Amino acid sequence: MKDTRRTRAVLGVLLVAALAMITVDYRGGDHSPLSGLRSLGATVFGPVERASASVVRPVGNTFGAITDAPGEKRRADRLARDNQRLREQLRSTRLDQGRSAQLQRLLGTAGMGGYKILAAQVISAGQGFEDTVTIDAGSSSGVRPDMTVMSADGLVGRVTRVGPATATVLLATDQTSSVGSRLEDSKEIGIVQGAGRRGLSGGATPLRFQLLDASAPMRVGQRLVTLGSQGERPYVPGVPIGTVERIDAASGGLTRTAYVKPFVHFTSLDVVAVVVAPPKTDPRDAVLPARPSPPPSPSPSATPSASGSPGKKKKGKKGPKTEADGTATPSANPSSGG
């Protein structure tokens, strides 16, 4: 089609007519005089528009997905990081609550014994032949070698090596560990020794107790506390150790041996305390936990005897009945006189 003056004039007239029709239709709204023409156009061109949209839309969606892919990837990565951070915060909150409860129990135990303590956390376990753990407190916090280490449940061990920010603790279960101990009630003394790593698994008892006086009384269920050391190092007095679980039969020796179940769970140590100052007086058995109250024994059921049961008559004896007010009434079956 040639670009002539007449063509341009026709195009201009059509544009003016289109603008006029649009203006009239817009101002007329629902009552527009061109509403019929609009409906006719929708009827004629609607299917064509829908068909073309169905063809073009997938192409547009694909193109949009390709162009938006980097942004979607960044949003997905950001959401994953946010979820991971929230999970870590939740886990940290739970750990903090558990450690706070342990610390509260630890402070209560130290308060009963009069110990001045420094709280610490177990950060690793020894891999050598010794039963050791590493705690996150060292010389910069006032920790020194040969200090007692305890938990809220009882004796953990003693400090052997100290660094600026960490310290190594030899556990009471180690084979080289020897702790002066005293039985509750009888106050008999002896030595608690560790049985090594083999005592930490398989249900074995990781501590042995040698009573110095072989003739002294000892029974299963008695509990042990630390006797204390000269100069209060490496062990302060009164720290709970464990309960006598089994006693070897006396063999005529100078000592007797018992096997002790410790109060402390050595395989799940977390919050512990280093005793940086001993108590002013020996707490004796004051730090031992209260014994659980025994379950109530069932009361025997009352079984009436045959002779004392009301309404029963003794054989061979027949006599008058007695009313509640004590008056006698004749028997319903009087015996005949011979």
Side-chain angles (χ1 to χ4, degrees):
M1 185 176 182
K2 294 182 179 180
D3 184 12
T4 63
R5 183 177 301 177
R6 183 180 178 182
T7 303
R8 289 195 294 269
V10 171
L11 181 61
V13 171
L14 291 176
L15 287 176
V16 170
L19 289 174
M21 293 173 66
I22 292 173
T23 303
V24 171
D25 186 54
Y26 176 77
R27 290 184 176 275
D30 294 336
H31 304 287
S32 172
L34 301 177
S35 58
L37 186 60
R38 188 196 317 147
S39 301
L40 178 62
T43 303
V44 173
F45 296 104
V48 178
E49 183 181 0
R50 287 194 294 269
S52 61
S54 62
V55 174
V56 174
R57 188 180 298 114
V59 178
N61 291 341
T62 303
F63 182 76
I66 293 174
T67 56
D68 292 343
E72 294 294 335
K73 179 67 166 56
R74 287 193 295 270
R75 282 192 290 271
D77 292 343
R78 185 173 65 253
L79 289 175
R81 288 193 299 268
D82 292 343
N83 290 337
Q84 180 64 25
R85 185 174 65 254
L86 290 174
R87 283 193 293 266
E88 290 175 355
Q89 289 176 354
L90 180 60
R91 184 164 52 248
S92 177
T93 301
R94 290 174 178 171
L95 287 174
D96 289 343
Q97 290 175 350
R99 287 168 180 162
S100 176
Q102 292 184 58
L103 183 58
Q104 290 296 328
R105 292 183 57 232
L106 184 58
L107 292 174
T109 301
M112 286 189 294
Y115 310 117
K116 183 179 179 181
I117 61 171
L118 172 68
Q121 185 179 343
V122 175
I123 55 177
S124 67
Q127 301 297 322
F129 294 102
E130 294 181 328
D131 289 357
T132 60
V133 294
T134 301
I135 60 176
D136 62 351
S139 57
S140 60
S141 302
V143 179
R144 300 290 182 268
D146 287 335
M147 283 184 169
T148 306
V149 180
M150 60 183 291
S151 72
D153 298 314
L155 180 69
V156 173
R158 62 184 177 90
V159 177
T160 54
R161 294 184 293 274
V162 180
T166 60
T168 301
V169 178
L170 184 72
L171 302 181
T173 56
D174 188 79
Q175 288 181 328
T176 63
S177 174
S178 296
V179 184
S181 311
R182 182 178 63 244
L183 284 168
E184 67 172 331
D185 302 332
S186 68
K187 311 304 179 188
E188 293 291 335
I189 63 174
I191 299 174
V192 168
Q193 296 176 319
R197 292 186 185 275
R198 289 174 298 178
L200 292 176
S201 60
T205 306
L207 299 176
R208 293 191 304 270
F209 174 64
Q210 288 187 335
L211 187 63
L212 297 185
D213 185 357
S215 61
M218 180 170 53
R219 66 182 186 277
V220 172
Q222 273 188 295
R223 298 175 295 178
L224 292 160
V225 299
T226 55
L227 179 64
S229 307
Q230 185 175 6
E232 313 300 346
R233 287 195 182 183
Y235 298 107
V236 295
V239 181
I241 298 175
T243 305
V244 174
E245 195 173 59
R246 179 166 57 90
I247 302 173
D248 279 351
S251 58
L254 298 178
T255 61
R256 292 176 66 193
T257 302
Y259 296 89
V260 177
K261 180 180 180 180
F263 291 123
V264 172
H265 298 281
F266 288 94
T267 56
S268 59
L269 290 172
D270 187 10
V271 178
V272 297
V274 181
V275 181
V276 295
K280 295 180 180 180
T281 58
D282 188 345
R284 296 284 178 168
D285 299 337
V287 189
L288 282 171
R291 288 185 178 276
S293 56
S297 57
S299 58
S301 59
T303 305
S305 61
S307 59
S309 301
K312 296 273 186 176
K313 292 183 180 180
K314 294 182 180 180
K315 292 182 179 180
K317 291 185 180 181
K318 294 181 180 179
K321 295 181 184 178
T322 304
E323 297 289 348
D325 58 358
T327 59
T329 59
S331 172
N333 298 315
S335 58
S336 58

